[in-house]
Each structure stands twice: as C-alpha cells, then as structure tokens.
Amino acid sequence: MAKPHIDPVRWQPPGSRPLPPPDPTPALRIVEIPGTAPEDVVAAADGSIWTGVEDGRIVAVGPDGTAPRVVTDTGGRPLGLAFTGDHRLLICDSHRGLLRYDPQTGRLETLVSEVAGQALTFCSNAVESADGTIYFTESTNRFHYEHYKGSVIEARGSGSLLRRDPDGAVSVLADGLHFANGVTLTTDESAVVFAESTGRRLSKYWLTGPHRGSITPLVEELPGHPDNISTGTDGRIWVAMVSDRNALSDWLSPRAPVLRRLLWRLLPYRLLPDPTPVVWVVAFDADDGRVLAQFRTEHPDFGLATGVVESDGRLWMGRIAGSGLAYFELHES
C-alpha cells in the first residue's frame, strides 16, 4: 500500500522515569490460533478468551487455550475488544469504526462510523459502563492501522477519547491526544482510565466527584509505550507495554519536520522506527498509580504485547507482528 502524506510537527517527547524492578515472570505458554497479530484479548463470561486477527476474523479459544474457533469476521482490522453487560462484544475496527457483535444471533452492527462528519480511521479500544454508555478511543484521525508509524513520525496529537451514549449520541471528551489507546473503567466507575502510547502516560477522565468532567494524570513519563489496558479482579489497572521507548523516534520528534518528511518518503515502511519485541505487562494502582506488579521477559515465540486481561488466575496477552496468544499463571509469580 502506498504511504499516505504526513504533516510532521515539532514535539518534545516526555521524559522517562524507571519503574521498580520486575517480579519473576512465570513460564509463558503459547497458544496457537488461526491468523496473525491478535492485538487485544478479552475474557467472555464462560471463561473463553476472544481476540481479533489481522485479516478481520474474531477468534475464541477455550479457558485452557484449546479449541480455537472463528466466531465472526468484521471485514476490516479488529483492534480493541470489550464485552458488554449483556455479553455482546464491542469491536474497535480501524477500517469500520466501533462495532458490536451478538454471539447469540450472529448479528454484527456498526455503532459509530464517523464523528462530527469525519470517518473514524483508527478506532482503538472501548469499554461499556453499567448504564450502557460506551467510552472509546481513536488513536489518530489521520492514519489507519496499516500506517500507524505515520502518526509516530508526525508526532502530532491526533487522538481522542470519545463517548457514545445509550441513545447513540457521540461526543468528544478529549482530543489532541498522543496515540490514544487502551481504555478501561475503575471498579467503582468513578473514572475512565486511558493510555496514550506515544505520550507514555495513563490518565483518568473523571465521571463522578469533584473532578467530574476533567482529566488528571495517573502515571506519567513511563519508560515504554502503553497499549491496551484492562481492570483486574482487585481493581488494579493492567497495562500491556508494547515496547521500550524508541531512541530514534524520541530524537526525531523535536527536529525539523522536513527531515521526517524525507525519511517517510524515502525509506520503505518496514525500515522506519519499529518497537523492540519484549513481553512486558505492568499493574498499577487505580488510585495513586503505584506499581503493584510488573512482569518482563523475552521469549523466542512471543513479543510486542499489545493486549492483556486477567482471567481465572491467568494473565493473557495479545500481540502485533506475529502469531499466537500467550498466558502465564499468576499464582506462580
């Protein structure tokens, strides 16, 4: 695919503060599934694990990682997933927008395809609150998933946090975000927690209390790039850290835009700055951002973790740029 035009801006990336030493990481189990790049993982009510792969299919595996089956096909590129209170599946699709799939009827419907007259180009992750309100992110309004590096090279804040009310009305809660990504609710639904991958931070959009309608930081200056996130069984915020910070990207972002235009135009897409494969997940306290757990390792058959979910004593991970899911037993840590 031909690379789209980019319009870089000068931007100073955030600093970086080290995290505490990681915990011992239990043995990683790899689960083969049909398809590549299962970007996010979610747990259904029956304990099965669902994911979306690069060719548009939604795949489910049993709680023990066996019996993979294709559930449906979006015809696009599914990214973040979330189950609703009535057990339907929200699907963020880079090409089709925010979708909803009903496993009982097999119906796949489009909930949001555009915002304020502009098509969603990189719907990234979603979560539904108890009253049926859906909070979702758009990583960038300028590029599809296939050209996500364009957003990194541009260094332009073009992501958003959005809300879809039960009546279908859509509003923008925050824009100008640096690659808005994972989104989840705190256990008491007092706030929406969302990640900015290139912004290297987690923030809270308050739904109740004295800060209602405002955004406050939860964790800033992360030493890597947070991707999809989820709320654990004890209220902790699990974060899939896709990679360490990229020194070349950090160096380029404040430099003259003309330099990045030349790199984008002259270099093949595969030679532009890439994340470095690592298996890395962190759990943060939802109130004060303290690190509650951290697992970091390398594995020859798995890396670039982009999705994480806790289910039945296991921590499951999705990925980009490769095949298979992975999990480990939390009680072994």
Side-chain angles (χ1 to χ4, degrees):
M1 297 172 61
K3 287 183 290 190
H5 172 75
I6 67 168
D7 186 17
V9 296
R10 291 181 185 266
W11 177 62
Q12 182 59 56
S16 179
R17 289 184 287 181
L19 298 177
D23 303 293
T25 303
L28 209 63
R29 277 89 163 178
I30 309 300
V31 175
E32 295 301 328
I33 61 170
T36 58
E39 210 257 0
D40 198 13
V41 281
V42 290
D46 64 0
S48 59
I49 304 298
W50 293 44
T51 189
V53 294
E54 210 162 30
D55 64 9
R57 292 176 295 170
I58 303 296
V59 178
V61 300
D64 58 356
T66 61
R69 59 190 176 92
V70 176
V71 178
T72 189
D73 191 330
T74 70
R77 194 345 176 174
L79 299 171
L81 308 175
F83 276 103
T84 64
D86 58 4
H87 309 301
R88 289 183 287 181
L89 182 70
L90 297 176
I91 305 169
C92 287
D93 190 290
S94 176
H95 290 273
R96 297 193 54 196
L98 179 63
L99 314 178
R100 185 168 59 193
Y101 172 72
D102 189 337
Q104 295 299 315
T105 65
R107 183 188 180 200
L108 181 67
E109 59 181 323
T110 300
L111 298 182
V112 183
S113 60
E114 62 179 41
V115 177
Q118 181 172 342
L120 281 174
T121 58
F122 204 130
C123 188
S124 193
N125 205 260
V127 66
E128 185 189 71
S129 65
D131 68 0
T133 302
I134 298 171
Y135 300 92
F136 63 104
T137 53
E138 183 177 33
S139 292
T140 169
N141 61 14
R142 297 176 53 74
F143 305 94
H144 286 297
Y145 165 83
E146 291 80 5
H147 291 112
Y148 78 88
K149 292 181 185 180
S151 181
V152 177
I153 297 294
E154 258 197 354
R156 181 182 293 276
S158 57
S160 301
L161 174 67
L162 305 112
R163 180 183 68 209
R164 181 189 185 273
D165 296 327
D167 64 4
V170 177
S171 53
V172 179
L173 302 181
D175 58 12
L177 304 179
H178 284 272
F179 212 87
N181 212 319
V183 62
T184 191
L185 286 160
T186 56
T187 302
D188 61 2
E189 297 197 355
S190 63
V192 176
V193 181
F194 63 95
E196 290 173 80
S197 292
T198 52
R200 296 202 290 267
R201 63 184 172 186
L202 306 179
S203 302
K204 297 173 81 169
Y205 179 91
W206 291 93
L207 303 177
T208 62
H211 298 294
R212 182 178 180 180
S214 66
I215 295 173
T216 59
L218 179 63
V219 185
E220 296 183 285
E221 296 186 335
L222 285 166
H225 300 286
D227 206 287
N228 290 314
I229 67 178
S230 62
T231 303
T233 54
D234 63 354
R236 65 182 55 193
I237 306 299
W238 284 110
V239 180
M241 300 289 291
V242 64
S243 76
D244 293 297
R245 58 189 294 181
N246 187 290
L248 178 56
S249 291
D250 281 359
W251 184 85
L252 283 170
S253 293
R255 297 309 191 277
V258 65
L259 174 61
R260 283 172 281 146
R261 286 195 192 96
L262 283 172
L263 287 175
W264 180 255
R265 185 184 310 143
L266 298 177
L267 286 182
Y269 189 79
R270 61 183 175 81
L271 295 182
L272 292 166
D274 257 335
T276 302
V278 65
V279 184
W280 189 12
V281 291
V282 187
F284 294 98
D285 187 285
D287 293 323
D288 58 19
R290 286 180 299 117
V291 174
L292 301 178
Q294 180 183 191
F295 303 101
R296 181 182 173 120
T297 188
E298 294 182 4
H299 193 283
D301 299 318
F302 193 85
L304 298 175
T306 50
V308 59
V309 68
E310 182 182 343
S311 178
D312 196 26
R314 291 174 172 170
L315 200 65
W316 286 83
M317 290 165 282
R319 66 176 303 185
I320 54 171
S323 62
L325 303 175
Y327 72 87
F328 60 79
E329 305 285 349
L330 281 168
H331 65 77
E332 295 179 3
S333 61

